[in-house]
Amino acid sequence: MTKYRHELKFIITDLEYAELKPVLRAMMQRDPHTGPDGNYNIRSLYFDDMYRTAYREKLDGVEVRKKYRIRIYECSEGVISLECKYKNGPYIYKESAKLTREEYDRMCCCDYSFLLKKKEQMAKEFFVDGRTNLIRPWVIVEYDREPFINDVGTVRITFDKEVRAIPPKEDIFSKTAPSFAVLPPGQMILEVKFTGKLPEKIRQIFRSYSFVQTQASKFCLCADKLEEVLR
C-alpha cells in the first residue's frame, strides 16, 4: 500500500533559522546520516520533456503529477538513486531504484534501455516515459540539508541552505562544478514532512512564528536561474 506524506514548505530568513533551530534540537533528533556539523550535501539531476511538462505542471498547480530525478550525496558515487516523486494535492510519496555510475552515465546520454531489466516498476515507467515523451536531463539542484526527525520517524523537518543551480551537462560528482545561487542572501527553505497528523507540540512551535507557506520548488527555482544566466 502506498504511503502518502504531507509536505509543507516555507522560505525563512537566517534570523528565523537561528531562533527555530535550538527549539527543534530540544524536541527532535538529528538525522543519523548527517556529518559532524549536522548537515549533508545533496545534488539531484532533474529530468523533463521537450514541453517542460514537470516544470509547467508545478507552476500551474496541477493536483496529480510526478517528476523524475537522480540523487547523490556529498558528491559521492557510493549511493546513486533514481527517484520518482509523486504528488497528489498536499500529499507526496517517493519511489527509488539504485543505479551504478555506468548506468548514471548512460541516463545522462538519454540511454534508458537498461531500466527495463530493473526489478522496480518505477524504473520501467521511466523507460516508457523517457521514450514516449523524450525526457532528458534538465537541471542539477544542489543544497546543504540540515534535518531533524522525531523519535518514531513520522515527522521530518529540514533546513535546505545554499540552494544552487548547476547546468545539466556538468559533472554532478565534481565539487568544483559551476553553480548559481537561486535565493537572495540570508534565505533558505524550511520543509516539514509528516505521516498522518502533525504532533501538537510541533504545531505549537509553528504557531509562534509568522512563517508564510509557499509552493517554492527547488527544481523550478533552479530551472529559472539557469534560463536567466545562460540565455
Side-chain angles (χ1 to χ4, degrees), residues 182-231:
V182 303
L183 291 175
Q187 289 188 1
M188 66 185 71
I189 296 176
L190 168 67
E191 294 189 359
V192 182
K193 298 184 179 74
F194 58 97
T195 304
K197 186 177 181 181
L198 190 64
E200 183 59 29
K201 64 180 182 179
I202 297 179
R203 286 182 179 273
Q204 290 176 357
I205 295 175
F206 285 91
R207 289 195 190 105
S208 62
Y209 292 89
S210 56
F211 298 147
V212 178
Q213 190 171 345
T214 178
Q215 295 300 316
S217 162
K218 292 185 284 289
F219 162 59
C220 290
L221 289 171
C222 288
D224 289 342
K225 173 56 69 171
L226 286 191
E227 186 172 359
E228 172 190 333
V229 299
L230 301 179
R231 67 176 49 154

Short mmCIF file of all heavy atoms in Angstrom, two decimals, residues 182-231:
data_model
loop_
_atom_site.label_atom_id
_atom_site.label_comp_id
_atom_site.label_asym_id
_atom_site.label_seq_id
_atom_site.Cartn_x
_atom_site.Cartn_y
_atom_site.Cartn_z
N VAL A 182 20.20 30.63 -6.06
CA VAL A 182 18.85 30.91 -6.56
C VAL A 182 18.01 31.71 -5.56
O VAL A 182 16.96 32.23 -5.94
CB VAL A 182 18.10 29.61 -6.93
CG1 VAL A 182 18.88 28.83 -7.97
CG2 VAL A 182 17.84 28.75 -5.72
N LEU A 183 18.43 31.81 -4.31
CA LEU A 183 17.69 32.57 -3.31
C LEU A 183 18.50 33.80 -2.91
O LEU A 183 19.73 33.79 -2.96
CB LEU A 183 17.42 31.72 -2.07
CG LEU A 183 16.43 30.57 -2.21
CD1 LEU A 183 16.37 29.75 -0.92
CD2 LEU A 183 15.04 31.07 -2.58
N PRO A 184 17.82 34.87 -2.50
CA PRO A 184 18.55 36.05 -2.01
C PRO A 184 19.40 35.69 -0.79
O PRO A 184 19.07 34.75 -0.06
CB PRO A 184 17.42 37.03 -1.63
CG PRO A 184 16.23 36.56 -2.40
CD PRO A 184 16.36 35.07 -2.51
N PRO A 185 20.49 36.40 -0.55
CA PRO A 185 21.31 36.12 0.63
C PRO A 185 20.48 36.16 1.90
O PRO A 185 19.60 37.01 2.05
CB PRO A 185 22.35 37.26 0.60
CG PRO A 185 22.42 37.68 -0.84
CD PRO A 185 21.03 37.50 -1.38
N GLY A 186 20.76 35.24 2.81
CA GLY A 186 20.06 35.23 4.08
C GLY A 186 18.74 34.50 4.07
O GLY A 186 17.96 34.61 5.02
N GLN A 187 18.45 33.73 3.00
CA GLN A 187 17.22 32.97 2.93
C GLN A 187 17.51 31.49 2.71
O GLN A 187 18.53 31.12 2.12
CB GLN A 187 16.30 33.48 1.81
CG GLN A 187 15.67 34.83 2.08
CD GLN A 187 14.63 35.20 1.04
OE1 GLN A 187 14.35 34.44 0.12
NE2 GLN A 187 14.05 36.37 1.18
N MET A 188 16.59 30.64 3.17
CA MET A 188 16.68 29.21 2.97
C MET A 188 15.27 28.64 2.93
O MET A 188 14.29 29.36 3.19
CB MET A 188 17.49 28.54 4.10
CG MET A 188 16.84 28.60 5.46
SD MET A 188 17.88 27.94 6.78
CE MET A 188 19.13 29.23 6.89
N ILE A 189 15.16 27.35 2.63
CA ILE A 189 13.86 26.70 2.54
C ILE A 189 13.68 25.75 3.72
O ILE A 189 14.55 24.92 3.99
CB ILE A 189 13.71 25.94 1.21
CG1 ILE A 189 13.75 26.93 0.03
CG2 ILE A 189 12.40 25.15 1.18
CD1 ILE A 189 13.69 26.27 -1.33
N LEU A 190 12.58 25.91 4.41
CA LEU A 190 12.20 25.03 5.51
C LEU A 190 11.12 24.08 5.01
O LEU A 190 10.13 24.52 4.43
CB LEU A 190 11.66 25.85 6.68
CG LEU A 190 10.95 25.10 7.82
CD1 LEU A 190 11.92 24.22 8.58
CD2 LEU A 190 10.26 26.09 8.76
N GLU A 191 11.34 22.77 5.17
CA GLU A 191 10.35 21.78 4.75
C GLU A 191 9.91 20.94 5.96
O GLU A 191 10.74 20.55 6.79
CB GLU A 191 10.92 20.86 3.67
CG GLU A 191 11.20 21.58 2.35
CD GLU A 191 11.55 20.61 1.23
OE1 GLU A 191 11.59 19.39 1.47
OE2 GLU A 191 11.78 21.09 0.10
N VAL A 192 8.63 20.68 6.02
CA VAL A 192 8.06 19.84 7.07
C VAL A 192 7.32 18.69 6.40
O VAL A 192 6.37 18.93 5.65
CB VAL A 192 7.08 20.64 7.97
CG1 VAL A 192 6.54 19.75 9.09
CG2 VAL A 192 7.76 21.87 8.54
N LYS A 193 7.77 17.48 6.64
CA LYS A 193 7.12 16.29 6.08
C LYS A 193 6.65 15.42 7.24
O LYS A 193 7.39 15.21 8.20
CB LYS A 193 8.08 15.50 5.19
CG LYS A 193 8.58 16.26 3.96
CD LYS A 193 9.45 15.35 3.10
CE LYS A 193 9.94 16.06 1.85
NZ LYS A 193 11.00 17.04 2.13
N PHE A 194 5.43 14.90 7.13
CA PHE A 194 4.92 14.06 8.19
C PHE A 194 3.86 13.10 7.68
O PHE A 194 3.19 13.37 6.66
CB PHE A 194 4.36 14.90 9.35
CG PHE A 194 3.25 15.85 8.96
CD1 PHE A 194 1.92 15.52 9.15
CD2 PHE A 194 3.55 17.10 8.43
CE1 PHE A 194 0.90 16.39 8.80
CE2 PHE A 194 2.54 17.98 8.06
CZ PHE A 194 1.21 17.63 8.26
N THR A 195 3.74 11.98 8.37
CA THR A 195 2.74 10.97 8.05
C THR A 195 1.60 11.09 9.06
O THR A 195 1.84 11.20 10.26
CB THR A 195 3.34 9.55 8.13
OG1 THR A 195 4.46 9.49 7.24
CG2 THR A 195 2.31 8.50 7.73
N GLY A 196 0.37 11.05 8.58
CA GLY A 196 -0.78 11.15 9.49
C GLY A 196 -0.99 12.58 9.93
O GLY A 196 -1.15 13.48 9.11
N LYS A 197 -0.91 12.83 11.23
CA LYS A 197 -1.18 14.15 11.79
C LYS A 197 0.08 14.70 12.42
O LYS A 197 0.81 13.99 13.12
CB LYS A 197 -2.29 14.05 12.84
CG LYS A 197 -2.75 15.39 13.38
CD LYS A 197 -3.91 15.20 14.35
CE LYS A 197 -4.40 16.55 14.89
NZ LYS A 197 -5.51 16.37 15.85
N LEU A 198 0.33 15.98 12.21
CA LEU A 198 1.49 16.62 12.81
C LEU A 198 1.27 16.73 14.32
O LEU A 198 0.25 17.25 14.77
CB LEU A 198 1.69 18.01 12.22
CG LEU A 198 2.99 18.75 12.55
CD1 LEU A 198 4.19 18.00 11.99
CD2 LEU A 198 2.95 20.17 12.01
N PRO A 199 2.21 16.22 15.13
CA PRO A 199 2.04 16.26 16.59
C PRO A 199 1.78 17.67 17.10
O PRO A 199 2.35 18.65 16.60
CB PRO A 199 3.38 15.72 17.10
CG PRO A 199 3.88 14.86 16.00
CD PRO A 199 3.44 15.53 14.73
N GLU A 200 0.93 17.78 18.10
CA GLU A 200 0.52 19.08 18.62
C GLU A 200 1.71 19.90 19.13
O GLU A 200 1.75 21.12 18.95
CB GLU A 200 -0.50 18.90 19.74
CG GLU A 200 -1.06 20.20 20.31
CD GLU A 200 -1.73 21.08 19.27
OE1 GLU A 200 -2.28 20.54 18.27
OE2 GLU A 200 -1.70 22.32 19.44
N LYS A 201 2.69 19.25 19.75
CA LYS A 201 3.82 20.01 20.29
C LYS A 201 4.61 20.70 19.19
O LYS A 201 5.20 21.76 19.39
CB LYS A 201 4.73 19.08 21.11
CG LYS A 201 5.40 17.98 20.31
CD LYS A 201 6.29 17.12 21.20
CE LYS A 201 7.01 16.03 20.41
NZ LYS A 201 7.90 15.22 21.28
N ILE A 202 4.62 20.09 17.99
CA ILE A 202 5.31 20.72 16.85
C ILE A 202 4.42 21.78 16.23
O ILE A 202 4.90 22.84 15.80
CB ILE A 202 5.72 19.65 15.83
CG1 ILE A 202 6.73 18.68 16.47
CG2 ILE A 202 6.34 20.29 14.58
CD1 ILE A 202 7.19 17.57 15.58
N ARG A 203 3.12 21.53 16.20
CA ARG A 203 2.19 22.56 15.71
C ARG A 203 2.33 23.84 16.53
O ARG A 203 2.30 24.96 15.98
CB ARG A 203 0.75 22.06 15.78
CG ARG A 203 0.38 21.02 14.74
CD ARG A 203 -1.09 20.62 14.87
NE ARG A 203 -1.46 19.66 13.89
CZ ARG A 203 -1.88 19.95 12.65
NH1 ARG A 203 -1.98 21.22 12.30
NH2 ARG A 203 -2.19 19.01 11.80
N GLN A 204 2.49 23.69 17.83
CA GLN A 204 2.61 24.86 18.71
C GLN A 204 3.83 25.68 18.38
O GLN A 204 3.82 26.91 18.48
CB GLN A 204 2.63 24.41 20.17
CG GLN A 204 1.30 23.87 20.67
CD GLN A 204 1.38 23.34 22.09
OE1 GLN A 204 2.45 23.33 22.69
NE2 GLN A 204 0.25 22.91 22.63
N ILE A 205 4.91 25.01 17.99
CA ILE A 205 6.12 25.74 17.61
C ILE A 205 5.84 26.67 16.44
O ILE A 205 6.16 27.86 16.46
CB ILE A 205 7.25 24.76 17.23
CG1 ILE A 205 7.67 23.94 18.43
CG2 ILE A 205 8.45 25.53 16.66
CD1 ILE A 205 8.70 22.87 18.10
N PHE A 206 5.18 26.14 15.42
CA PHE A 206 4.97 26.92 14.21
C PHE A 206 3.91 28.00 14.40
O PHE A 206 3.90 28.98 13.67
CB PHE A 206 4.62 25.99 13.05
CG PHE A 206 5.81 25.24 12.52
CD1 PHE A 206 6.14 23.99 13.02
CD2 PHE A 206 6.63 25.80 11.56
CE1 PHE A 206 7.25 23.30 12.55
CE2 PHE A 206 7.74 25.13 11.09
CZ PHE A 206 8.06 23.88 11.59
N ARG A 207 3.02 27.82 15.37
CA ARG A 207 2.04 28.87 15.65
C ARG A 207 2.71 30.13 16.19
O ARG A 207 2.17 31.23 16.07
CB ARG A 207 1.00 28.37 16.66
CG ARG A 207 0.04 27.33 16.12
CD ARG A 207 -1.15 27.17 17.04
NE ARG A 207 -1.97 26.01 16.66
CZ ARG A 207 -1.99 24.87 17.31
NH1 ARG A 207 -1.25 24.70 18.40
NH2 ARG A 207 -2.75 23.87 16.91
N SER A 208 3.86 29.98 16.81
CA SER A 208 4.54 31.12 17.42
C SER A 208 5.38 31.90 16.41
O SER A 208 5.95 32.94 16.75
CB SER A 208 5.42 30.66 18.58
OG SER A 208 6.44 29.78 18.12
N TYR A 209 5.45 31.41 15.18
CA TYR A 209 6.19 32.10 14.13
C TYR A 209 5.22 32.54 13.03
O TYR A 209 4.15 31.97 12.85
CB TYR A 209 7.27 31.19 13.53
CG TYR A 209 8.40 30.88 14.50
CD1 TYR A 209 8.32 29.77 15.34
CD2 TYR A 209 9.53 31.68 14.55
CE1 TYR A 209 9.35 29.48 16.23
CE2 TYR A 209 10.57 31.39 15.42
CZ TYR A 209 10.47 30.29 16.26
OH TYR A 209 11.49 30.00 17.13
N SER A 210 5.65 33.55 12.30
CA SER A 210 4.80 34.09 11.23
C SER A 210 5.25 33.57 9.87
O SER A 210 5.25 34.30 8.89
CB SER A 210 4.81 35.61 11.25
OG SER A 210 6.15 36.09 11.13
N PHE A 211 5.64 32.30 9.82
CA PHE A 211 6.07 31.73 8.56
C PHE A 211 4.91 31.71 7.56
O PHE A 211 3.78 31.37 7.91
CB PHE A 211 6.57 30.30 8.74
CG PHE A 211 7.77 30.17 9.63
CD1 PHE A 211 7.94 29.05 10.42
CD2 PHE A 211 8.73 31.16 9.69
CE1 PHE A 211 9.04 28.91 11.24
CE2 PHE A 211 9.84 31.04 10.51
CZ PHE A 211 9.99 29.91 11.29
N VAL A 212 5.21 32.07 6.34
CA VAL A 212 4.21 32.04 5.28
C VAL A 212 4.47 30.83 4.40
O VAL A 212 5.57 30.67 3.85
CB VAL A 212 4.26 33.33 4.43
CG1 VAL A 212 3.24 33.25 3.30
CG2 VAL A 212 4.00 34.55 5.30
N GLN A 213 3.46 29.97 4.29
CA GLN A 213 3.64 28.76 3.49
C GLN A 213 3.82 29.13 2.01
O GLN A 213 3.20 30.08 1.52
CB GLN A 213 2.45 27.82 3.65
CG GLN A 213 2.65 26.45 3.04
CD GLN A 213 1.54 25.48 3.41
OE1 GLN A 213 0.77 25.72 4.33
NE2 GLN A 213 1.44 24.39 2.68
N THR A 214 4.67 28.39 1.32
CA THR A 214 4.96 28.67 -0.08
C THR A 214 4.92 27.38 -0.88
O THR A 214 5.03 26.29 -0.31
CB THR A 214 6.34 29.34 -0.23
OG1 THR A 214 6.62 29.57 -1.61
CG2 THR A 214 7.43 28.43 0.33
N GLN A 215 4.80 27.51 -2.17
CA GLN A 215 4.89 26.36 -3.06
C GLN A 215 6.27 26.29 -3.70
O GLN A 215 6.46 25.68 -4.74
CB GLN A 215 3.80 26.46 -4.15
CG GLN A 215 2.38 26.38 -3.62
CD GLN A 215 2.11 25.09 -2.88
OE1 GLN A 215 2.48 24.01 -3.34
NE2 GLN A 215 1.47 25.18 -1.72
N ALA A 216 7.24 26.94 -3.05
CA ALA A 216 8.59 27.03 -3.59
C ALA A 216 9.11 25.65 -3.99
O ALA A 216 9.10 24.72 -3.20
CB ALA A 216 9.53 27.66 -2.56
N SER A 217 9.56 25.55 -5.21
CA SER A 217 10.12 24.31 -5.74
C SER A 217 11.58 24.56 -6.08
O SER A 217 11.90 25.43 -6.90
CB SER A 217 9.36 23.87 -6.99
OG SER A 217 10.11 22.94 -7.74
N LYS A 218 12.49 23.82 -5.45
CA LYS A 218 13.90 23.98 -5.77
C LYS A 218 14.15 23.67 -7.25
O LYS A 218 15.00 24.29 -7.89
CB LYS A 218 14.74 23.09 -4.86
CG LYS A 218 14.71 23.53 -3.39
CD LYS A 218 15.64 22.71 -2.51
CE LYS A 218 15.08 21.34 -2.20
NZ LYS A 218 13.93 21.39 -1.26
N PHE A 219 13.43 22.70 -7.78
CA PHE A 219 13.54 22.35 -9.20
C PHE A 219 13.20 23.54 -10.09
O PHE A 219 13.97 23.91 -10.99
CB PHE A 219 12.62 21.16 -9.49
CG PHE A 219 12.30 20.95 -10.93
CD1 PHE A 219 13.30 20.72 -11.86
CD2 PHE A 219 10.99 20.96 -11.37
CE1 PHE A 219 12.99 20.50 -13.21
CE2 PHE A 219 10.67 20.75 -12.70
CZ PHE A 219 11.67 20.53 -13.63
N CYS A 220 12.06 24.20 -9.83
CA CYS A 220 11.65 25.33 -10.65
C CYS A 220 12.55 26.54 -10.44
O CYS A 220 12.91 27.23 -11.40
CB CYS A 220 10.20 25.70 -10.34
SG CYS A 220 8.98 24.49 -10.90
N LEU A 221 12.94 26.80 -9.19
CA LEU A 221 13.83 27.92 -8.91
C LEU A 221 15.15 27.77 -9.66
O LEU A 221 15.67 28.74 -10.24
CB LEU A 221 14.10 28.02 -7.41
CG LEU A 221 12.93 28.49 -6.53
CD1 LEU A 221 13.29 28.32 -5.05
CD2 LEU A 221 12.58 29.94 -6.82
N CYS A 222 15.69 26.56 -9.66
CA CYS A 222 16.97 26.33 -10.32
C CYS A 222 16.83 26.35 -11.84
O CYS A 222 17.72 26.85 -12.55
CB CYS A 222 17.56 25.00 -9.85
SG CYS A 222 18.18 25.05 -8.14
N ALA A 223 15.72 25.83 -12.35
CA ALA A 223 15.48 25.90 -13.79
C ALA A 223 15.38 27.34 -14.25
O ALA A 223 15.94 27.73 -15.30
CB ALA A 223 14.21 25.13 -14.15
N ASP A 224 14.70 28.18 -13.46
CA ASP A 224 14.59 29.60 -13.79
C ASP A 224 15.95 30.28 -13.76
O ASP A 224 16.26 31.13 -14.62
CB ASP A 224 13.65 30.30 -12.80
CG ASP A 224 12.19 29.90 -13.01
OD1 ASP A 224 11.85 29.38 -14.08
OD2 ASP A 224 11.38 30.14 -12.08
N LYS A 225 16.77 29.94 -12.77
CA LYS A 225 18.08 30.58 -12.66
C LYS A 225 18.96 30.23 -13.86
O LYS A 225 19.65 31.11 -14.41
CB LYS A 225 18.76 30.12 -11.36
CG LYS A 225 20.20 30.58 -11.20
CD LYS A 225 20.34 32.12 -11.28
CE LYS A 225 19.73 32.83 -10.11
NZ LYS A 225 20.06 34.28 -10.09
N LEU A 226 18.95 28.96 -14.28
CA LEU A 226 19.76 28.59 -15.45
C LEU A 226 19.28 29.32 -16.70
O LEU A 226 20.10 29.77 -17.52
CB LEU A 226 19.71 27.09 -15.67
CG LEU A 226 20.51 26.21 -14.71
CD1 LEU A 226 20.56 24.78 -15.23
CD2 LEU A 226 21.92 26.75 -14.50
N GLU A 227 17.98 29.45 -16.84
CA GLU A 227 17.45 30.15 -18.02
C GLU A 227 17.90 31.61 -17.98
O GLU A 227 18.20 32.20 -19.02
CB GLU A 227 15.92 30.07 -18.04
CG GLU A 227 15.32 30.66 -19.29
CD GLU A 227 13.81 30.41 -19.39
OE1 GLU A 227 13.24 29.75 -18.50
OE2 GLU A 227 13.20 30.88 -20.37
N GLU A 228 17.97 32.18 -16.79
CA GLU A 228 18.38 33.59 -16.64
C GLU A 228 19.85 33.78 -16.97
O GLU A 228 20.21 34.72 -17.70
CB GLU A 228 18.10 34.03 -15.20
CG GLU A 228 18.66 35.40 -14.86
CD GLU A 228 18.57 35.69 -13.37
OE1 GLU A 228 17.69 35.14 -12.69
OE2 GLU A 228 19.41 36.48 -12.88
N VAL A 229 20.71 32.90 -16.45
CA VAL A 229 22.16 33.15 -16.60
C VAL A 229 22.71 32.59 -17.90
O VAL A 229 23.79 33.03 -18.34
CB VAL A 229 22.93 32.53 -15.40
CG1 VAL A 229 22.49 33.17 -14.10
CG2 VAL A 229 22.79 31.03 -15.34
N LEU A 230 22.02 31.65 -18.51
CA LEU A 230 22.55 31.02 -19.73
C LEU A 230 21.88 31.49 -21.00
O LEU A 230 22.21 31.02 -22.08
CB LEU A 230 22.43 29.50 -19.62
CG LEU A 230 23.16 28.85 -18.44
CD1 LEU A 230 22.93 27.34 -18.45
CD2 LEU A 230 24.65 29.16 -18.50
N ARG A 231 20.93 32.40 -20.88
CA ARG A 231 20.21 32.84 -22.08
C ARG A 231 21.14 33.64 -23.01
O ARG A 231 22.11 34.22 -22.58
CB ARG A 231 19.00 33.69 -21.70
CG ARG A 231 19.32 35.03 -21.05
CD ARG A 231 18.10 35.88 -20.78
NE ARG A 231 17.05 35.15 -20.12
CZ ARG A 231 16.11 35.71 -19.35
NH1 ARG A 231 16.15 37.02 -19.13
NH2 ARG A 231 15.17 34.99 -18.80
#
